Amino acid sequence: MLKRMRRKYTMSHFSERLKKLHAIMPGLAVTSDVIVGFPGETEEEFQETYDFILQHGFSELHVFPYSMRTGTPAARMTDQIDESIKNDRVHRLITLSDQLAKEYASRFEGDVLEVIPEEKASNGNMLVGYTDNYLKVQFEADEHLIGELVKVKIDKSGYPLNEGTFVTVIPNAYKKSEMQMHS
């Protein structure tokens, strides 16, 4: 399938790279864009993609149905995939993505992670931010911590949002106020 899409890599090459990355960075969040329903994609090829994603522990997927673009070689291919099949495959991969994202987040439950709060949550005195491995975390803290580097204990993992408890501000971190002075 990748060859028909004119990609310059193979699944085995991608697999080798992922294994090396996971070996040196065990908590690495690996996401991928996945296009389903490219002309000629068989159910077996789709299942191969599904199994590959499952076996390699992606933390999240961005799934898109192939859409025909006039003037491209793929648009001239005669074995276009029916929209209902594409939609079914998209939904199957989105369901898998949700499952993998929850499994990935659960690996960090109970851990204290660094978070940069980005905004106030819509409810109460809560802030929302991201860890360095792209976990979205909500925790109770004062608004003045937005933009600071803080430590948060992950109390309840979930997707798309994890719940945490503020632990401390990381001292001597490059602060947003300093960033504004240097720009």
Side-chain angles (χ1 to χ4, degrees):
M1 179 57 60
L2 291 172
K3 192 174 184 177
R4 285 199 313 269
M5 295 176 78
R6 297 187 177 186
R7 298 298 194 258
K8 296 182 185 343
Y9 54 90
T10 63
M11 287 177 80
S12 62
H13 176 79
F14 194 26
S15 178
E16 288 172 27
R17 296 287 192 240
L18 288 172
K19 287 175 184 171
K20 285 180 182 179
L21 287 169
H22 281 300
I24 59 174
M25 301 175 73
L28 180 67
V30 178
T31 65
S32 185
D33 292 349
V34 182
I35 299 171
V36 298
F38 190 80
E41 179 185 65
T42 65
E43 182 59 34
E44 292 76 24
E45 287 171 325
F46 171 76
Q47 190 61 49
E48 218 177 280
T49 300
Y50 186 99
D51 293 343
F52 181 90
I53 291 163
L54 193 57
Q55 291 164 4
H56 289 83
F58 286 82
S59 55
E60 189 174 6
L61 304 172
H62 304 279
V63 184
F64 307 93
Y66 163 78
S67 57
M68 192 184 309
R69 291 203 168 73
T70 306
T72 63
R76 293 187 295 275
M77 293 178 178
T78 57
D79 48 359
Q80 301 293 322
I81 305 298
D82 185 84
E83 290 300 317
S84 64
I85 293 172
K86 283 195 268 187
N87 289 335
D88 175 64
R89 291 175 182 172
V90 164
H91 290 299
R92 286 163 56 194
L93 282 185
I94 289 172
T95 299
L96 177 61
S97 178
D98 290 349
Q99 171 194 329
L100 292 172
K102 288 174 189 170
E103 288 172 9
Y104 179 76
S106 72
R107 294 169 46 190
F108 300 94
E109 195 166 285
D111 290 355
V112 175
L113 303 176
E114 294 179 359
V115 176
I116 298 176
E118 294 183 358
E119 63 188 3
K120 282 187 66 150
S122 56
N123 55 332
N125 201 27
M126 306 292 275
L127 298 181
V128 176
Y130 288 87
T131 65
D132 64 354
N133 56 348
Y134 303 106
L135 294 178
K136 188 175 184 179
V137 183
Q138 179 173 281
F139 57 97
E140 189 170 341
D142 191 79
E143 188 176 354
H144 81 278
L145 293 177
I146 291 175
E148 304 292 341
L149 187 59
V150 301
K151 289 192 176 193
V152 175
K153 181 179 180 194
I154 306 301
D155 298 320
K156 184 178 177 192
S157 63
Y159 178 78
L161 192 62
N162 298 275
E163 297 174 16
T165 302
F166 171 77
V167 175
T168 189
V169 173
I170 298 177
N172 302 319
Y174 199 70
K175 297 181 178 170
K176 66 179 178 185
S177 56
E178 293 172 1
M179 287 174 49
Q180 290 167 346
M181 289 190 312
H182 292 102
S183 43

